[in-house]
Amino acid sequence: LGVAGVSNAGGSRGLATSLGKGATTISATFMNVTGTTTLSVTDATVTQIQVTPFAPTIPVGFEGRLTATALYSDGTNRDITSLATWTSGDAKTASVSDALATKGLVDAAMAGTTTITAQYAGAAGMTDVTVSAAVLKSLAITPAGPTIAVGAIQAFVATGTFDDGSTLDVTPLVTWTSSDLSVGDVSNADGSRGQATAFDVGTTTIQAQRGAVTATTRLTVN
């Protein structure tokens, strides 16, 4: 415990907190089966925090996810998105989540620009987020018309095109459906959204929908 502690609390289970320089063994046990790893804690200090993507543009009504990366004095770096404190300079333009499960998720509310800041270990990084008034005009699903085997998984990507000519990966922001659930279905769960699983031989139509805008493609299972 002098080097690091690890949480067993709901919502933060498995989250380790460094306490002092050194190395310690972290163990996880389930049904009498145990796995271990070694956690090393150094005395390196944070020299910079990067918030990426740099200066993104998000259309009104859509979401964008930001990542915070800490750069350390020993040349290493670490994703600290879930550890940082997130704030928006103008939440009326775009707010950013500081909730544990959705840290760094930006919700674009109205056209304008705001500065999103991530703070961690006494350092801060920021990026300017522009919210555009662009309207979604069409969707496209890729790959088009794939063929997979029974039991296989096919990841689909939905790309939105807006009236200003810009495009955006909207895979996690659309609703996915399958026309024949006996052939295959497509996930709407966080972390697997757009992933279709093949159940039986046949063909089904995969649809992505955002409001009144839709796109379809055929999934063949053989």
Side-chain angles (χ1 to χ4, degrees):
L1 292 178
V3 175
V6 62
S7 174
N8 281 292
S12 62
R13 192 179 299 268
L15 183 66
T17 302
S18 60
L19 302 173
K21 184 178 179 180
T24 186
T25 299
I26 303 295
S27 300
T29 302
F30 180 70
M31 297 182 67
N32 296 319
V33 179
T34 299
T36 63
T37 190
T38 300
L39 174 67
S40 298
V41 178
T42 73
D43 56 4
T45 57
V46 177
T47 59
Q48 181 184 352
I49 293 177
Q50 290 183 336
V51 178
T52 53
F54 300 122
T57 297
I58 306 171
V60 169
F62 285 80
E63 298 173 343
R65 188 170 292 278
L66 299 178
T67 298
T69 304
L71 310 184
Y72 289 87
S73 56
D74 62 356
T76 60
N77 64 83
R78 179 188 181 195
D79 184 338
I80 48 95
T81 303
S82 62
L83 303 176
T85 299
W86 292 87
T87 56
S88 171
D90 183 3
K92 291 182 178 180
T93 298
S95 60
V96 62
S97 175
D98 197 45
L100 185 61
T102 55
K103 278 179 177 277
L105 185 66
V106 176
D107 185 6
M110 69 178 190
T113 301
T114 184
T115 300
I116 303 295
T117 302
Q119 294 178 301
Y120 174 74
M126 58 196 66
T127 192
D128 287 335
V129 173
T130 299
V131 178
S132 75
V135 176
L136 180 66
K137 301 302 290 185
S138 65
L139 291 169
I141 299 175
T142 53
T147 298
I148 61 175
V150 173
I153 294 175
Q154 174 66 60
F156 288 101
V157 174
T159 301
T161 299
F162 294 79
D163 60 1
D164 63 354
S166 63
T167 60
L168 182 69
D169 181 348
V170 294
T171 303
L173 306 176
V174 298
T175 298
W176 294 90
T177 55
S178 169
S179 66
D180 190 338
L181 299 181
S182 66
V183 174
D185 201 2
V186 59
S187 174
N188 284 284
D190 290 342
S192 62
R193 195 177 297 264
Q195 293 183 10
T197 301
F199 301 140
D200 200 359
V201 173
T203 302
T204 184
T205 299
I206 302 298
Q207 176 177 276
Q209 180 173 6
R210 173 81 182 195
V213 183
T214 63
T216 62
T217 193
R218 302 286 282 180
L219 174 65
T220 301
V221 180
N222 60 17

